[in-house]
Amino acid sequence: HQRWESRIRMAEIVASERPPKMLFLVGTADQLIPPLHSQSLYSIAKKGGADCRIVELPGGGHNDTCIKEGYFEALADFIKQS
C-alpha cells in the first residue's frame, strides 16, 4: 500500500541545481531492498552526471551490512574525498 518512487526521486535530485555527492553502500544479500534496486538508483545518478560511487559488500543483509568488511573504510574514504 505504500509506494516509494525512488527512481523518480533520484532523477529529480540529480536534475537539481546542486545535486549532492552520493555513496551507495549495498549489501549483496539484502532481501528487503534487493541489490538491483540500489544499482538502478546508482545508474540513474551516474547517468545524470552526479558525483557518486557504489560499494558492494559481499554477504551483507539488510540489517548487518554495516558490520561487513570494508563498510566503514568506504564511508571514511567517501567523507575524506567530499
Side-chain angles (χ1 to χ4, degrees):
H1 69 286
Q2 293 179 335
R3 294 188 52 86
W4 299 91
E5 302 291 350
S6 303
R7 289 174 183 88
I8 293 169
R9 299 296 171 250
M10 182 58 70
E12 291 172 351
I13 290 168
V14 173
S16 68
E17 189 173 314
R18 290 184 54 193
K21 291 184 178 185
M22 292 177 253
L23 172 63
F24 296 82
L25 295 168
V26 182
T28 61
D30 193 331
Q31 293 182 343
L32 186 59
I33 307 212
L36 261 172
H37 182 70
S38 298
Q39 293 161 352
S40 171
L41 295 177
Y42 169 77
S43 291
I44 292 167
K46 193 72 171 169
K47 287 178 186 173
D51 183 1
C52 59
R53 75 176 74 158
I54 188 168
V55 176
E56 293 184 347
L57 299 153
H62 190 72
N63 294 314
D64 67 355
T65 295
C66 64
I67 63 170
K68 296 300 176 186
E69 185 176 334
Y71 179 91
F72 286 105
E73 292 82 1
L75 190 56
D77 185 50
F78 179 77
I79 291 169
K80 280 186 223 174
Q81 293 183 9
S82 292

Coordinates of all heavy atoms in Angstrom, one line a residue:
H1 N 0.8 -1.2 0.0 CA 0.0 0.0 0.0 C 0.8 1.3 0.0 O 0.4 2.3 -0.3 CB -1.0 0.0 1.2 CG -0.3 0.1 2.5 ND1 0.4 -0.9 3.1 CD2 -0.3 1.1 3.4 CE1 0.8 -0.5 4.3 NE2 0.4 0.8 4.5
Q2 N 2.1 1.1 0.4 CA 3.0 2.3 0.3 C 3.8 2.2 -0.9 O 4.3 1.2 -1.3 CB 3.9 2.3 1.5 CG 3.2 2.5 2.8 CD 4.2 2.5 4.0 OE1 5.3 2.0 3.9 NE2 3.9 3.2 5.1
R3 N 4.0 3.4 -1.6 CA 4.7 3.4 -2.8 C 5.9 4.4 -2.6 O 5.8 5.5 -2.1 CB 3.9 3.9 -4.0 CG 2.8 2.9 -4.3 CD 2.1 3.3 -5.6 NE 2.9 3.5 -6.7 CZ 3.4 2.6 -7.5 NH1 3.1 1.4 -7.4 NH2 4.1 2.9 -8.6
W4 N 7.1 3.9 -2.9 CA 8.3 4.6 -2.8 C 8.8 4.8 -4.2 O 9.4 3.9 -4.8 CB 9.4 3.9 -1.9 CG 8.9 3.7 -0.5 CD1 8.2 2.6 -0.1 CD2 9.0 4.6 0.6 NE1 7.9 2.7 1.3 CE2 8.4 4.0 1.7 CE3 9.6 5.8 0.7 CZ2 8.3 4.6 2.9 CZ3 9.5 6.4 2.0 CH2 8.9 5.8 3.1
E5 N 8.6 6.0 -4.7 CA 9.0 6.3 -6.1 C 10.5 6.7 -6.2 O 10.8 7.8 -6.6 CB 8.1 7.4 -6.7 CG 6.6 7.0 -6.6 CD 6.3 5.9 -7.6 OE1 7.1 5.5 -8.5 OE2 5.1 5.4 -7.5
S6 N 11.4 5.8 -5.8 CA 12.8 6.1 -5.6 C 13.4 6.5 -6.9 O 14.3 7.4 -7.0 CB 13.5 4.9 -5.1 OG 13.0 4.5 -3.8
R7 N 13.1 5.8 -8.0 CA 13.7 6.2 -9.3 C 13.3 7.6 -9.8 O 14.2 8.3 -10.3 CB 13.3 5.1 -10.3 CG 14.0 3.8 -10.1 CD 13.5 2.7 -11.1 NE 14.1 1.4 -10.8 CZ 13.5 0.5 -9.9 NH1 12.4 0.8 -9.2 NH2 14.2 -0.6 -9.7
I8 N 12.1 7.9 -9.6 CA 11.6 9.3 -9.9 C 12.3 10.3 -9.0 O 12.8 11.3 -9.5 CB 10.1 9.4 -9.8 CG1 9.4 8.5 -10.8 CG2 9.6 10.8 -9.9 CD1 7.9 8.3 -10.6
R9 N 12.4 10.0 -7.8 CA 13.0 11.0 -6.8 C 14.5 11.1 -7.1 O 15.1 12.2 -7.1 CB 12.8 10.6 -5.4 CG 11.4 10.5 -4.9 CD 10.7 11.9 -5.0 NE 9.3 11.7 -4.7 CZ 8.3 11.9 -5.7 NH1 8.7 12.3 -6.9 NH2 7.1 11.7 -5.4
M10 N 15.2 10.0 -7.5 CA 16.6 10.1 -7.8 C 16.8 11.0 -9.0 O 17.7 11.8 -9.0 CB 17.2 8.7 -8.0 CG 18.7 8.7 -8.3 SD 19.7 9.5 -7.0 CE 19.5 8.3 -5.7
A11 N 16.0 10.8 -10.0 CA 16.1 11.6 -11.2 C 15.9 13.1 -10.9 O 16.6 14.0 -11.4 CB 15.1 11.2 -12.3
E12 N 15.0 13.4 -10.0 CA 14.7 14.8 -9.6 C 15.9 15.4 -8.8 O 16.3 16.5 -9.1 CB 13.5 14.9 -8.7 CG 12.2 14.6 -9.5 CD 11.0 14.5 -8.6 OE1 11.1 14.5 -7.3 OE2 9.9 14.4 -9.1
I13 N 16.5 14.6 -8.0 CA 17.7 15.0 -7.2 C 18.8 15.3 -8.1 O 19.5 16.3 -8.0 CB 18.1 13.9 -6.1 CG1 17.0 13.9 -5.0 CG2 19.4 14.2 -5.5 CD1 17.1 12.7 -4.1
V14 N 19.1 14.4 -9.0 CA 20.2 14.6 -10.0 C 20.0 15.8 -10.9 O 21.0 16.5 -11.2 CB 20.4 13.3 -10.8 CG1 21.4 13.5 -11.9 CG2 20.8 12.1 -9.9
A15 N 18.8 16.1 -11.2 CA 18.5 17.2 -12.1 C 18.5 18.5 -11.3 O 18.4 19.6 -12.0 CB 17.1 17.0 -12.8
S16 N 18.6 18.5 -10.0 CA 18.5 19.7 -9.2 C 19.8 20.6 -9.5 O 20.8 20.1 -10.1 CB 18.4 19.4 -7.7 OG 19.6 18.8 -7.3
E17 N 19.7 21.8 -9.1 CA 20.8 22.8 -9.4 C 22.1 22.3 -8.8 O 23.2 22.5 -9.4 CB 20.4 24.1 -8.8 CG 21.4 25.2 -9.2 CD 20.9 26.6 -8.8 OE1 19.7 26.9 -9.0 OE2 21.7 27.3 -8.2
R18 N 22.1 21.8 -7.6 CA 23.4 21.3 -6.9 C 23.1 19.9 -6.3 O 22.9 19.8 -5.1 CB 23.8 22.3 -5.9 CG 24.3 23.6 -6.4 CD 24.8 24.5 -5.4 NE 25.8 23.8 -4.6 CZ 26.2 24.3 -3.4 NH1 25.8 25.5 -2.9 NH2 27.1 23.7 -2.7
P19 N 23.2 18.9 -7.1 CA 22.9 17.5 -6.6 C 24.1 17.2 -5.6 O 25.2 17.5 -5.8 CB 23.0 16.6 -7.8 CG 23.7 17.4 -8.9 CD 23.5 18.8 -8.6
P20 N 23.7 16.5 -4.5 CA 24.7 16.1 -3.5 C 25.6 15.0 -4.0 O 25.3 14.2 -5.0 CB 23.8 15.6 -2.4 CG 22.6 15.0 -3.0 CD 22.4 16.0 -4.2
K21 N 26.8 14.9 -3.4 CA 27.6 13.7 -3.7 C 26.9 12.5 -3.0 O 26.3 12.7 -2.0 CB 29.0 13.9 -3.1 CG 29.8 14.9 -3.8 CD 31.2 15.0 -3.2 CE 32.0 16.0 -3.9 NZ 33.4 16.0 -3.5
M22 N 27.0 11.4 -3.6 CA 26.2 10.2 -3.1 C 27.1 9.0 -3.0 O 27.9 8.7 -3.9 CB 25.1 9.9 -4.0 CG 24.0 10.9 -4.0 SD 22.7 10.6 -5.2 CE 23.1 11.8 -6.5
L23 N 26.9 8.2 -1.9 CA 27.6 7.0 -1.7 C 26.5 5.9 -1.5 O 25.6 6.0 -0.7 CB 28.4 7.0 -0.5 CG 29.1 5.7 0.0 CD1 30.0 5.2 -1.0 CD2 29.8 5.9 1.3
F24 N 26.5 4.9 -2.3 CA 25.6 3.8 -2.3 C 26.4 2.6 -1.6 O 27.3 2.1 -2.3 CB 25.1 3.4 -3.6 CG 24.3 4.4 -4.3 CD1 24.9 5.5 -5.0 CD2 22.9 4.4 -4.3 CE1 24.2 6.5 -5.6 CE2 22.1 5.4 -4.9 CZ 22.8 6.4 -5.6
L25 N 26.0 2.2 -0.4 CA 26.6 1.0 0.2 C 25.5 -0.1 0.1 O 24.4 0.0 0.7 CB 26.9 1.3 1.7 CG 27.9 2.4 1.9 CD1 27.9 2.8 3.4 CD2 29.3 1.9 1.5
V26 N 25.9 -1.1 -0.6 CA 25.0 -2.2 -1.0 C 25.4 -3.5 -0.4 O 26.4 -4.0 -0.7 CB 24.9 -2.3 -2.5 CG1 23.8 -3.3 -2.9 CG2 24.5 -0.9 -3.1
G27 N 24.5 -4.1 0.4 CA 24.7 -5.5 0.9 C 24.2 -6.4 -0.2 O 23.0 -6.3 -0.6
T28 N 25.1 -7.3 -0.7 CA 24.7 -8.2 -1.8 C 23.7 -9.2 -1.4 O 23.1 -9.9 -2.3 CB 25.9 -8.9 -2.4 OG1 26.6 -9.7 -1.4 CG2 26.9 -7.8 -2.9
A29 N 23.4 -9.4 -0.1 CA 22.5 -10.4 0.3 C 21.2 -9.8 1.0 O 20.5 -10.5 1.7 CB 23.1 -11.4 1.3
D30 N 21.0 -8.5 0.7 CA 19.9 -7.8 1.2 C 18.6 -8.4 0.6 O 18.4 -8.3 -0.6 CB 20.0 -6.3 1.0 CG 19.0 -5.5 1.8 OD1 17.9 -6.0 2.1 OD2 19.3 -4.3 2.0
Q31 N 17.7 -8.9 1.4 CA 16.5 -9.5 0.9 C 15.3 -8.5 1.1 O 14.2 -8.8 0.5 CB 16.1 -10.8 1.6 CG 17.2 -11.9 1.3 CD 16.9 -13.2 2.0 OE1 16.1 -13.2 2.9 NE2 17.5 -14.2 1.5
L32 N 15.5 -7.4 1.7 CA 14.4 -6.4 1.9 C 14.5 -5.4 0.7 O 13.5 -5.0 0.1 CB 14.5 -5.7 3.2 CG 13.3 -4.8 3.6 CD1 12.0 -5.5 3.6 CD2 13.6 -4.2 5.0
I33 N 15.7 -4.9 0.5 CA 15.9 -4.0 -0.6 C 16.9 -4.7 -1.5 O 18.1 -4.6 -1.2 CB 16.4 -2.6 -0.1 CG1 15.5 -2.1 0.9 CG2 16.7 -1.7 -1.3 CD1 15.3 -0.7 1.1
P34 N 16.5 -5.3 -2.6 CA 17.4 -6.0 -3.5 C 18.5 -5.2 -4.0 O 18.3 -4.0 -4.3 CB 16.4 -6.5 -4.6 CG 15.1 -6.4 -4.1 CD 15.1 -5.2 -3.1
P35 N 19.7 -5.7 -4.1 CA 20.9 -5.0 -4.6 C 20.6 -4.4 -6.0 O 21.1 -3.3 -6.3 CB 22.0 -6.1 -4.7 CG 21.6 -7.0 -3.6 CD 20.1 -7.1 -3.6
L36 N 19.8 -5.0 -6.8 CA 19.5 -4.5 -8.1 C 18.8 -3.1 -8.0 O 19.0 -2.3 -8.9 CB 18.5 -5.5 -8.9 CG 19.2 -6.3 -9.9 CD1 18.3 -7.4 -10.5 CD2 19.9 -5.5 -11.0
H37 N 18.0 -2.9 -7.0 CA 17.3 -1.6 -6.8 C 18.4 -0.5 -6.5 O 18.3 0.5 -7.1 CB 16.3 -1.7 -5.6 CG 15.6 -0.5 -5.4 ND1 14.6 0.0 -6.3 CD2 15.6 0.4 -4.4 CE1 14.1 1.1 -5.8 NE2 14.7 1.4 -4.7
S38 N 19.3 -0.8 -5.6 CA 20.4 0.2 -5.3 C 21.2 0.4 -6.6 O 21.6 1.6 -6.9 CB 21.2 -0.3 -4.2 OG 20.5 -0.5 -3.0
Q39 N 21.5 -0.6 -7.3 CA 22.3 -0.5 -8.5 C 21.6 0.4 -9.6 O 22.2 1.2 -10.3 CB 22.7 -1.9 -9.1 CG 23.6 -2.6 -8.2 CD 23.6 -4.1 -8.5 OE1 22.8 -4.6 -9.2 NE2 24.5 -4.8 -7.8
S40 N 20.2 0.2 -9.6 CA 19.4 1.0 -10.5 C 19.5 2.5 -10.2 O 19.6 3.4 -11.0 CB 18.0 0.5 -10.5 OG 17.1 1.3 -11.2
L41 N 19.4 2.8 -8.9 CA 19.4 4.2 -8.4 C 20.8 4.8 -8.7 O 20.9 5.9 -9.1 CB 19.1 4.3 -6.9 CG 17.6 3.9 -6.6 CD1 17.5 4.0 -5.0 CD2 16.6 4.8 -7.3
Y42 N 21.8 4.0 -8.5 CA 23.2 4.4 -8.8 C 23.3 4.8 -10.3 O 23.9 5.8 -10.6 CB 24.2 3.4 -8.4 CG 25.6 3.6 -8.9 CD1 26.4 4.6 -8.3 CD2 26.1 3.0 -10.0 CE1 27.7 4.9 -8.7 CE2 27.4 3.2 -10.5 CZ 28.1 4.2 -9.9 OH 29.4 4.5 -10.3
S43 N 22.8 3.9 -11.1 CA 22.9 4.1 -12.6 C 22.2 5.4 -13.0 O 22.7 6.2 -13.8 CB 22.2 2.9 -13.3 OG 23.0 1.8 -13.2
I44 N 21.0 5.7 -12.4 CA 20.3 6.9 -12.7 C 21.1 8.1 -12.3 O 21.2 9.1 -13.0 CB 18.9 6.9 -11.9 CG1 18.0 5.9 -12.6 CG2 18.3 8.3 -12.0 CD1 16.8 5.6 -11.7
A45 N 21.7 8.0 -11.1 CA 22.5 9.2 -10.6 C 23.7 9.4 -11.5 O 24.1 10.5 -11.8 CB 23.0 8.9 -9.1
K46 N 24.4 8.3 -11.8 CA 25.6 8.4 -12.6 C 25.3 8.9 -14.0 O 26.0 9.8 -14.5 CB 26.3 7.0 -12.7 CG 27.7 7.0 -13.2 CD 28.6 7.6 -12.2 CE 30.0 7.4 -12.6 NZ 30.9 8.1 -11.8
K47 N 24.3 8.4 -14.6 CA 23.9 8.9 -16.0 C 23.5 10.4 -16.0 O 23.7 11.1 -16.9 CB 22.7 8.0 -16.5 CG 23.2 6.7 -17.0 CD 22.0 5.8 -17.5 CE 22.5 4.4 -17.8 NZ 21.4 3.6 -18.1
G48 N 23.0 10.8 -14.8 CA 22.6 12.2 -14.7 C 23.7 13.1 -14.4 O 23.6 14.3 -14.2
G49 N 24.9 12.5 -14.2 CA 26.1 13.4 -14.0 C 26.5 13.6 -12.6 O 27.3 14.4 -12.2
A50 N 25.8 12.9 -11.7 CA 26.1 13.1 -10.2 C 27.4 12.5 -9.9 O 27.9 11.6 -10.5 CB 25.0 12.4 -9.4
D51 N 28.0 13.1 -8.9 CA 29.3 12.6 -8.3 C 28.9 11.5 -7.3 O 28.5 11.8 -6.2 CB 30.0 13.8 -7.6 CG 31.4 13.4 -7.1 OD1 31.8 12.2 -7.2 OD2 32.1 14.2 -6.5
C52 N 29.0 10.3 -7.7 CA 28.6 9.2 -6.9 C 29.4 8.0 -7.0 O 30.2 7.9 -8.0 CB 27.1 8.9 -7.2 SG 26.8 8.4 -8.9
R53 N 29.3 7.1 -6.1 CA 30.1 5.8 -6.1 C 29.2 4.8 -5.4 O 28.4 5.1 -4.6 CB 31.4 5.9 -5.5 CG 31.5 6.0 -4.0 CD 32.9 6.0 -3.5 NE 33.5 7.3 -3.8 CZ 34.5 7.8 -3.1 NH1 35.1 7.1 -2.2 NH2 34.9 9.0 -3.4
I54 N 29.5 3.6 -5.8 CA 28.8 2.4 -5.2 C 29.8 1.4 -4.7 O 30.9 1.2 -5.3 CB 27.8 1.8 -6.3 CG1 26.9 0.7 -5.6 CG2 28.6 1.2 -7.4 CD1 25.8 0.2 -6.5
V55 N 29.5 0.9 -3.5 CA 30.4 -0.1 -2.9 C 29.5 -1.3 -2.5 O 28.5 -1.1 -1.8 CB 31.1 0.4 -1.6 CG1 31.9 -0.7 -1.0 CG2 32.0 1.6 -2.0
E56 N 29.8 -2.4 -3.1 CA 29.0 -3.6 -2.8 C 29.8 -4.4 -1.7 O 31.0 -4.6 -1.8 CB 28.8 -4.5 -4.0 CG 28.0 -3.8 -5.1 CD 27.7 -4.6 -6.3 OE1 28.3 -5.7 -6.5 OE2 26.8 -4.3 -7.0
L57 N 29.0 -4.8 -0.7 CA 29.6 -5.5 0.4 C 29.0 -7.0 0.4 O 27.9 -7.2 0.7 CB 29.2 -4.8 1.7 CG 29.8 -3.4 1.7 CD1 29.0 -2.4 2.6 CD2 31.2 -3.4 2.2
P58 N 29.9 -7.9 0.0 CA 29.5 -9.3 -0.1 C 28.9 -9.9 1.1 O 29.5 -9.7 2.2 CB 30.8 -10.0 -0.5 CG 31.7 -8.9 -1.1 CD 31.3 -7.7 -0.3
G59 N 27.8 -10.5 1.0 CA 27.1 -11.2 2.1 C 26.3 -10.2 3.0 O 25.7 -10.7 4.0
G60 N 26.4 -9.0 2.8 CA 25.6 -8.0 3.6 C 24.1 -8.1 3.5 O 23.6 -8.1 2.3
G61 N 23.4 -8.3 4.6 CA 22.0 -8.3 4.5 C 21.4 -6.9 4.9 O 22.2 -6.0 5.0
H62 N 20.1 -6.8 5.0 CA 19.5 -5.5 5.3 C 20.0 -4.9 6.6 O 20.1 -3.7 6.7 CB 18.0 -5.6 5.2 CG 17.3 -4.3 5.3 ND1 17.4 -3.5 4.2 CD2 16.7 -3.7 6.2 CE1 16.7 -2.4 4.5 NE2 16.3 -2.4 5.7
N63 N 20.2 -5.8 7.6 CA 20.5 -5.2 9.0 C 21.9 -5.5 9.4 O 22.3 -5.1 10.5 CB 19.5 -5.9 10.0 CG 18.1 -5.4 9.8 OD1 17.8 -4.2 9.6 ND2 17.2 -6.4 9.8
D64 N 22.7 -6.1 8.6 CA 24.1 -6.3 9.0 C 25.2 -5.9 8.0 O 26.4 -6.2 8.2 CB 24.3 -7.8 9.4 CG 24.2 -8.7 8.1 OD1 23.9 -8.3 7.0 OD2 24.5 -9.9 8.3
T65 N 24.8 -5.1 7.0 CA 25.8 -4.7 6.1 C 26.9 -3.8 6.8 O 28.0 -3.9 6.4 CB 25.1 -3.9 4.9 OG1 24.3 -4.8 4.2 CG2 26.1 -3.2 4.0
C66 N 26.5 -3.1 7.8 CA 27.4 -2.2 8.5 C 28.5 -2.9 9.2 O 29.5 -2.3 9.6 CB 26.7 -1.2 9.4 SG 25.8 -2.1 10.8
I67 N 28.4 -4.2 9.4 CA 29.4 -5.0 10.1 C 30.3 -5.7 9.1 O 31.2 -6.4 9.5 CB 28.9 -5.9 11.2 CG1 28.0 -7.0 10.6 CG2 28.2 -5.1 12.3 CD1 27.6 -8.1 11.6
K68 N 30.0 -5.6 7.8 CA 30.8 -6.3 6.8 C 32.1 -5.6 6.6 O 32.2 -4.3 6.7 CB 30.0 -6.4 5.5 CG 28.8 -7.3 5.6 CD 29.1 -8.7 6.1 CE 27.9 -9.5 6.3 NZ 28.2 -10.8 6.9
E69 N 33.1 -6.3 6.2 CA 34.5 -5.8 6.0 C 34.4 -4.8 4.8 O 33.8 -5.0 3.8 CB 35.4 -6.9 5.6 CG 36.8 -6.4 5.4 CD 37.8 -7.6 5.1 OE1 37.5 -8.7 5.5 OE2 38.8 -7.3 4.4
G70 N 35.0 -3.6 5.1 CA 35.0 -2.5 4.1 C 34.0 -1.5 4.2 O 34.1 -0.4 3.6
Y71 N 32.9 -1.7 5.0 CA 31.9 -0.7 5.2 C 32.4 0.6 5.7 O 32.2 1.7 5.1 CB 30.8 -1.3 6.1 CG 29.6 -0.3 6.4 CD1 28.5 -0.4 5.5 CD2 29.6 0.6 7.4 CE1 27.4 0.5 5.8 CE2 28.6 1.4 7.6 CZ 27.5 1.4 6.8 OH 26.4 2.2 7.0
F72 N 33.0 0.6 6.9 CA 33.5 1.8 7.5 C 34.6 2.5 6.7 O 34.8 3.7 6.7 CB 33.8 1.6 9.0 CG 32.6 1.5 9.8 CD1 32.2 0.3 10.3 CD2 31.8 2.6 10.1 CE1 31.0 0.1 11.0 CE2 30.6 2.5 10.8 CZ 30.2 1.2 11.3
E73 N 35.4 1.6 6.1 CA 36.5 2.2 5.2 C 36.0 2.9 4.0 O 36.5 4.0 3.7 CB 37.4 1.0 4.7 CG 38.2 0.3 5.8 CD 37.4 -0.7 6.6 OE1 36.3 -1.0 6.3 OE2 38.0 -1.3 7.6
A74 N 34.9 2.4 3.4 CA 34.3 3.0 2.3 C 33.7 4.4 2.7 O 33.8 5.4 2.0 CB 33.2 2.1 1.6
L75 N 33.0 4.3 3.9 CA 32.4 5.6 4.4 C 33.5 6.6 4.7 O 33.3 7.8 4.4 CB 31.6 5.2 5.7 CG 30.7 6.2 6.3 CD1 29.7 6.8 5.3 CD2 30.0 5.7 7.5
A76 N 34.5 6.2 5.4 CA 35.6 7.2 5.7 C 36.3 7.7 4.5 O 36.5 9.0 4.4 CB 36.7 6.5 6.6
D77 N 36.5 6.9 3.5 CA 37.1 7.3 2.2 C 36.2 8.4 1.5 O 36.6 9.4 1.0 CB 37.4 6.1 1.3 CG 38.1 6.5 0.1 OD1 39.1 7.2 0.2 OD2 37.6 6.1 -1.0
F78 N 34.9 8.1 1.5 CA 33.9 9.0 0.9 C 33.9 10.4 1.6 O 33.9 11.4 1.0 CB 32.5 8.4 0.9 CG 31.5 9.2 0.3 CD1 31.3 9.4 -1.0 CD2 30.6 9.9 1.1 CE1 30.3 10.2 -1.6 CE2 29.6 10.7 0.6 CZ 29.5 10.8 -0.8
I79 N 34.0 10.3 2.9 CA 34.0 11.6 3.7 C 35.2 12.4 3.4 O 35.2 13.6 3.2 CB 33.8 11.3 5.2 CG1 32.3 10.8 5.4 CG2 34.0 12.5 6.0 CD1 32.1 10.2 6.8
K80 N 36.4 11.7 3.4 CA 37.7 12.3 3.1 C 37.7 13.0 1.8 O 38.3 14.1 1.6 CB 38.8 11.3 3.2 CG 39.3 11.0 4.6 CD 40.5 10.1 4.5 CE 40.4 9.0 5.4 NZ 41.5 8.0 5.3
Q81 N 37.1 12.4 0.8 CA 37.1 12.9 -0.6 C 36.0 13.9 -0.8 O 35.9 14.5 -1.9 CB 37.0 11.8 -1.6 CG 38.3 10.9 -1.5 CD 38.3 9.8 -2.6 OE1 37.4 9.8 -3.4 NE2 39.3 9.0 -2.5
S82 N 35.1 14.1 0.1 CA 34.0 15.1 -0.1 C 34.4 16.5 0.3 O 35.3 16.8 0.9 CB 32.8 14.7 0.8 OG 32.3 13.4 0.3

